[in-house]
Amino acid sequence: MKLDELFIQEDSTILEAMKRLDVTGQRILFIAPEGKLKAVLTDGDVRKCLLRGGKLTDPVSQAANYAPKFLPAADRGRAKSVMEQYSIDALPILNRDGSILDIVFGTGLDVDTRKKAEIPVVMMAGGLGTRLYPYTKILPKPLIPVAEHPISEMILDRFSEYGCQDAYMIVNYKKNMIKSYFDDLEGKKYQTHFVEENEFMGTGGGLCLMKGMLHNTFFFTNCDTLLDVDYGDVLEYHRSHNNVVTMICAYKHFQVPYGVVEMGENGTILAQQEKPELNFLTNTGVYVVEPRVVEELEDGQKIGFPDVIEKYRLAGEQVGVYPINESSWMDMGQLEELEKMRRKLEGKV
């Protein structure tokens, strides 16, 4: 990657920055007129700006950090200690006139800036996976391989990297295959517990089977969603806002490939727009949930978890959103998305 690919203009929009972050695969951009460091913009800066009411059309100057950490070239050897001290995963190296010579990334120095979560994970793993038929005629969706491992294993492995050592799987369809796989799985860094659902209760209804089992805040996830996100930071955000439920959402960007026409009365053209762009937040199917939500579920009720959230929202309870970039979300709920996920994990995208 060329250094200037990580540069962005100060008057660029938040949306343009998010697109650049997606393209580069990095979590940081630099405002550097004529190559001289002025400010940095991380995905966390973008998220904080949006959470305090910023818009996608706002300039990046409203989100950027104008007091960034850096090192002169002569002190490059201190990069690892500085990154660990300030919990940052990228550090610009400057020459004498303030121009950026290089960027040191924590991934190359084995610097772990992730925050620990250390709470249980509950996975909905009992669905029929009808959108992935005919694969799911043979295998349950949680065991469909992506790259070299089943998707559910990859999801739980990622949670375990943040200290989550207890995994509960609500199973139903082909449950014995799922139980056998995880019981025989060697080297996993978490304990798996199985909750059997005898009839399909929906993504929310299945949770009522866990009454009395969860005494702490927990992550709740579908079995087909893989996120590249700092789960420790998500948990910290959830707790700092006193949320009952926090939904992790990804910004999606679509461009309609046609001219769009709005028709008025008597067949007149009211408005028209050439290839409009649409931007909106989508539910990734991953949440942080307080244990009382489980205890307050109605026994035997078939309900989706978004409907559970809506009940709390309408009751005036604190429910929130943790936004992430589109590139941080991989979903395999449909065959086309499954192939995209495989290509991305194999480095072909």
Side-chain angles (χ1 to χ4, degrees):
M1 178 184 296
K2 295 181 180 179
L3 187 59
D4 58 7
E5 292 179 22
L6 296 173
F7 290 177
I8 191 166
Q9 298 295 320
E10 198 168 18
D11 58 356
S12 298
T13 66
I14 295 292
L15 177 59
E16 289 170 336
M18 294 175 69
K19 291 179 181 177
R20 181 71 63 84
L21 289 166
D22 284 344
V23 169
T24 63
Q26 302 296 337
R27 297 181 176 179
I28 191 168
L29 298 172
F30 300 90
I31 297 174
E34 299 181 353
K36 294 184 179 181
L37 179 65
K38 185 175 182 180
V40 300
L41 180 75
T42 66
D43 60 344
D45 294 329
V46 170
R47 181 163 43 252
K48 291 174 183 176
C49 178
L50 294 171
L51 287 171
R52 62 174 180 259
K55 298 180 177 61
L56 294 176
T57 53
D58 288 342
V60 296
S61 58
Q62 295 192 16
N65 171 17
Y66 283 84
K69 300 291 184 278
F70 64 89
L71 280 178
D75 292 338
R76 184 187 182 102
R78 295 179 49 230
K80 179 175 181 179
S81 61
V82 171
M83 295 168 74
E84 290 177 337
Q85 178 183 355
Y86 294 103
S87 296
I88 56 178
D89 53 14
L91 187 67
I93 306 298
L94 309 185
N95 65 14
R96 290 184 179 180
D97 70 355
S99 296
I100 300 178
L101 288 176
D102 195 8
I103 310 295
V104 177
F105 290 98
T107 51
L109 291 173
D110 195 27
V111 175
D112 189 353
T113 61
R114 296 172 299 188
K115 302 170 184 175
K116 293 299 182 182
E118 298 177 339
I119 60 174
V121 180
V122 178
M123 176 182 286
M124 286 299 304
L128 291 170
T130 51
R131 293 182 298 168
L132 289 175
Y133 186 88
Y135 291 168
T136 48
K137 183 177 181 180
I138 301 169
L139 287 173
K141 183 164 63 173
L143 295 187
I144 290 179
V146 182
E148 297 181 357
H149 303 280
I151 179 61
S152 55
E153 181 185 349
M154 296 175 69
I155 293 170
L156 294 179
D157 281 346
R158 187 154 293 185
F159 276 110
S160 72
E161 293 174 2
Y162 292 86
C164 301
Q165 298 180 348
D166 284 303
Y168 295 84
M169 303 183 74
I170 301 175
V171 295
N172 186 331
Y173 178 65
K174 296 186 182 293
K175 59 187 177 184
N176 289 333
M177 293 179 68
I178 299 171
K179 292 166 67 175
S180 295
Y181 180 85
F182 280 95
D183 283 342
D184 294 340
L185 185 61
E186 297 180 356
K188 65 180 187 289
K189 299 179 181 180
Y190 51 87
Q191 296 292 321
T192 46
H193 316 274
F194 301 99
V195 178
E196 297 190 14
E197 181 188 57
N198 294 321
E199 60 177 312
F200 296 108
M201 302 293 295
T203 53
L207 272 177
C208 72
L209 301 173
M210 299 193 64
K211 288 186 176 182
M213 300 173 65
L214 296 166
H215 308 288
N216 193 7
T217 307
F218 63 96
F219 288 113
F220 184 41
T221 179
N222 292 337
C223 65
D224 56 7
T225 296
L226 190 62
L227 302 183
D228 181 14
V229 64
D230 186 331
Y231 286 113
D233 189 63
V234 177
L235 178 60
E236 183 178 279
Y237 169 81
H238 171 85
R239 287 174 168 167
S240 67
H241 286 74
N242 296 314
N243 289 343
V244 177
V245 178
T246 296
M247 177 190 295
I248 302 179
C249 293
Y251 276 98
K252 279 287 187 180
H253 173 79
F254 290 98
Q255 182 168 32
V256 179
Y258 313 105
V260 175
V261 177
E262 183 179 350
M263 187 171 66
E265 295 181 2
N266 301 317
T268 59
I269 295 178
L270 185 62
Q272 57 180 328
Q273 189 175 3
E274 184 64 20
K275 298 180 180 179
E277 296 184 5
L278 305 176
N279 301 283
F280 45 85
L281 278 171
T282 52
N283 181 4
T284 65
V286 185
Y287 316 86
V288 189
V289 188
E290 289 302 305
R292 72 177 180 92
V293 172
V294 177
E295 301 304 317
E296 292 169 359
L297 286 168
E298 180 181 336
D299 289 335
Q301 182 183 21
K302 298 180 180 179
I303 187 171
F305 197 65
D307 295 320
V308 174
I309 295 175
E310 186 66 4
K311 287 185 176 182
Y312 283 99
R313 190 187 70 82
L314 294 175
E317 297 270 11
Q318 187 71 26
V319 295
V321 168
Y322 185 95
I324 61 175
N325 287 349
E326 181 175 358
S327 63
S328 298
W329 176 29
M330 288 181 283
D331 172 70
M332 57 159 275
Q334 302 182 54
L335 287 175
E336 181 180 352
E337 296 300 322
L338 171 59
E339 293 307 315
K340 285 182 180 179
M341 179 184 282
R342 282 179 175 158
R343 292 196 300 271
K344 186 170 183 178
L345 289 171
E346 291 171 356
K348 296 179 180 179
V349 176

